Amino acid sequence: MEKLTSKIINKKTKNIKILQFGEGNFLRAFVDWFIKKMNDQGLIDSHVCVVQPLPSGRVQDLKEQDGLYTLYLQGIENNEVIRNHEVIDVLSDFINPYTEYDRYLDYAKKEDLELIISNTTEAGIVLDENDLDFDKTPKSFPSKVLSLLKTRYDYFNHDVSKGLSFICCELIDNNAKKLKEVLLKLSELKGYDNDFIDWINNSCHFSSTLVDRIVPGYPKGDINETYNELGYIDENVVVGEIFHLWVLENDEHIKNIFPIHKIGLNAKYVESIKPYKERKVRILNGCHTLMVPVSYLYGIDTVRESILDKYVGEYAKKFVYDVVIPTIDLDKDDLTSFANSVFERYLNPFVRHELMSIALNSISKYKERVLPTLFDYNKLNGTYSKVIAFSLASLAIFYQGKRGEDDIKLNDNAQYLEYINSIKNDSDYVYKFLSNTDFFGTDLTKLNGFYEYVLDYYNRIKELGMKKALADFVEGHYE
């Protein structure tokens, strides 16, 4: 069986207008897939040069396959189980700047270069005040970018039309704005003149984004079956879920050169990413966090099994549709459509999502993902959500560390666990759990009536067991 190369798949040649910092699974299963779709529809005409952000990486592996790799997309869409694959053919050049620094800087002199796309992890966009020697390869991503920009600025004699655009996919808030801030600070530290700083400010464009697609990556356990299905060896094959979302902060220049909103996929330019981030955190992540202690104590181990269960599934949907959606300032039909897609993702038969993997740092996650909904729900209704109260009662029991006779492998802040261990046998355990401001940022016992809800559900779960207590709750026997 041959390895996938252009001998097997005829690859067209296109001019390279995009530099991509990062060669990992997510970029290849998400960004490069989008780029292929735009090329196929004639919206852009560009291939990609991949820049390896770290000294070690896989640009050589990609180069050996002429940049070709297979993407499998699988999941549930419109209640239909889907599994398909295609060859992604947009990667055409590969640079390890640690060994090819001059060739990397040569891209700054490329007339047609327009766009830099990055995903250098959350730690990538950082200010390193000591990374200022551009005579050799800088260590940090921003310093590499600044070295490239200064080279371009000088080569084109300060031409205001030769600025570059940046689309950042790192999982931090305001990722592109953060990159711009770091670039400007580094420019000051380097002593660059105001004309160059103005060129960054006025000739370069920056779009922050929100990205969403689960990418399990290389199907190691099924690789032989995968090769047999494909009929070739592909050491860069990558697996992702069907669901995709790309929300980009609107910039008219970037919108013109990268018209991703025109391809009929789940991608859009918006004036503010904030409500879309809120939507994802409160619905997708918030439901995960709310559901984990309830479902795990119920005796379930995975997200899919949770949603398939009559009572856990109904409980999760009650939270999303009745509690969360009314608190978010977006179109309600759009929110409902997003929520529907979330539950389809939860039911993905190709992904085994363990509840205990989500349970990591549940207390901190609760503060960020669920409590904002609790407070906003109160503003709308003048009362506190009993759905959330039931989950917090379950969380308090979960952190006592037992599911029946089995120990729960708790994984959280050591000080949090030490505190809980010191109070878990107290008669006022629930009060001490809810009133800990280090946990929740506020004393939840001071919320009018809320502590009484939680204590009541805690006692019922202890007395009846989670299965009976949850069934009663969902069926409205004592809500």
Side-chain angles (χ1 to χ4, degrees), residues 5 34 115 133 142 149 192 194 226 271 283 298 318 423 450:
T5 65
F34 271 107
L115 179 64
D133 183 0
L149 288 178
Y192 291 148
N194 289 334
T226 300
E271 295 306 315
I283 293 178
Y298 193 88
K318 188 175 184 67
I423 65 166
F450 187 66

Side-chain angles (χ1 to χ4, degrees), residues 207-251:
S207 178
S208 296
T209 75
L210 171 69
V211 296
D212 193 4
R213 166 172 273 170
I214 296 171
V215 179
Y218 183 76
K220 184 176 181 180
D222 304 316
I223 197 60
N224 290 328
E225 293 88 341
T226 300
Y227 288 171
N228 288 332
E229 179 181 17
L230 295 174
Y232 53 76
I233 294 171
D234 183 354
E235 295 177 352
N236 298 305
V237 63
V238 61
V239 176
E241 67 170 337
I242 288 285
F243 178 86
H244 58 278
L245 172 67
W246 202 352
V247 182
L248 301 91
E249 191 173 55
N250 190 39
D251 176 286

Side-chain angles (χ1 to χ4, degrees), residues 28 45 72 106 157 230 239-240 317 334 361 390 404:
R28 292 187 295 112
D45 186 32
Y72 275 86
D106 282 343
N157 195 28
L230 295 174
V239 176
K317 290 173 183 176
D334 179 63
N361 297 326
F390 189 93

